[in-house]
Amino acid sequence: MHKFIAMVGTNSDESTNRKLLQYMQSHYADQAEIELMEIKGLPIFNKPENHEIPAQAQAMADKIEQADGVIISTPEYDHSAPAALLNALEWLSFHIQPFVDKPVMIIGASYGALGTSRAQAHLRQVLDSPELRARIMPSSEFMLGHSLQAFDDQGNLTDQQKATKLDGLFKDFQVFVEITKKLKNANATTYEEVREMDWEKL
């Protein structure tokens, strides 16, 4: 059984993105072990001269490294991913490399009808950056619009079409994870390239 980290892409206490990940955690419990990861509490990234990593960021990195993959659920703020999520990713690429060749599935929930397409596209660019080098599952957008009305009292998705699509994408992600395990021929070199990134020149 795969073990996944599900990163809540916001520091909001009342987030439908957290509800979406909680739904996945419960709904797919017989297929995978999914552990929610919060980004609340991280300090603002300031590129410390002593290279000291906050204990919370290091603990997050350790869990990501041990997981088979990561699911990130992001809202969309001003056509982009939230600052809190980008801040977390900055810490998770500062002299630590948990995302190198790590399979990632991106999903998102929003209150409006447009979904999180721009935030997801932006997040793909960030995760593909030289400092992170994640393996993002292609052609896999899942956007939950009108998310305040999307769940019943038990936390289940009320739109069967959306639920069925997520089922399919989650199965695809598990296949993607297995395929990614075979794409490791350049892993050692990639890891060294990321490890040797000179943050003093960035």
Side-chain angles (χ1 to χ4, degrees):
M1 182 178 286
H2 290 132
K3 180 176 181 180
F4 298 136
I5 291 297
M7 185 179 292
V8 181
T10 173
N11 56 7
S12 170
D13 290 329
E14 300 294 332
S15 171
T16 53
N17 284 277
R18 184 180 293 105
K19 286 185 177 181
L20 179 55
L21 291 174
Q22 288 171 336
Y23 165 79
M24 294 180 70
Q25 183 183 45
S26 173
H27 191 66
Y28 303 127
D30 61 338
Q31 299 181 41
E33 179 184 342
I34 299 177
E35 178 182 350
L36 263 64
M37 176 178 284
E38 299 285 351
I39 61 174
K40 294 186 294 184
L42 281 171
I44 296 175
F45 180 72
N46 61 352
K47 203 166 92 171
E49 292 183 3
N50 62 4
H51 299 174
E52 184 176 353
I53 309 294
Q56 180 183 351
Q58 186 62 64
M60 292 166 67
D62 292 343
K63 287 188 175 184
I64 290 170
E65 285 182 345
Q66 294 165 11
D68 295 304
V70 178
I71 305 166
I72 303 177
S73 189
T74 179
E76 182 169 311
Y77 299 158
D78 300 328
H79 289 182
S80 183
L85 176 55
L86 299 178
N87 181 64
L89 294 176
E90 286 168 357
W91 279 119
L92 292 169
S93 62
F94 183 67
H95 298 289
I96 48 179
Q97 300 82 32
F99 277 102
V100 172
D101 289 339
K102 185 68 62 176
V104 176
M105 176 182 182
I106 301 174
I107 60 176
S110 67
Y111 294 171
L114 296 179
T116 59
S117 59
R118 292 182 177 90
Q120 291 192 37
H122 184 205
L123 190 54
R124 284 176 179 274
Q125 289 183 312
V126 173
L127 289 165
D128 195 39
S129 68
E131 297 81 22
L132 285 160
R133 306 281 185 96
R135 300 270 194 182
I136 309 107
M137 186 167 76
S139 304
S140 58
E141 281 188 339
F142 180 80
M143 296 176 290
L144 184 65
H146 300 296
S147 57
L148 285 174
Q149 296 83 37
F151 301 93
D152 63 20
D153 293 339
Q154 288 72 48
N156 296 311
L157 288 173
T158 57
D159 187 328
Q160 188 55 50
Q161 185 175 7
K162 285 287 187 181
T164 299
K165 180 176 181 179
L166 187 58
D167 289 346
L169 289 174
F170 187 70
K171 288 179 181 177
D172 285 347
F173 184 54
Q174 297 200 70
V175 173
F176 180 70
V177 168
E178 291 304 310
I179 292 173
T180 302
K181 288 179 181 179
K182 300 178 181 179
L183 303 177
K184 295 289 187 179
N185 294 302
N187 178 260
T189 303
T190 301
Y191 185 87
E192 283 302 310
E193 286 178 352
V194 176
R195 190 180 67 82
E196 292 171 4
M197 288 288 296
D198 189 350
W199 271 86
E200 303 308 316
K201 298 179 180 179
L202 295 178

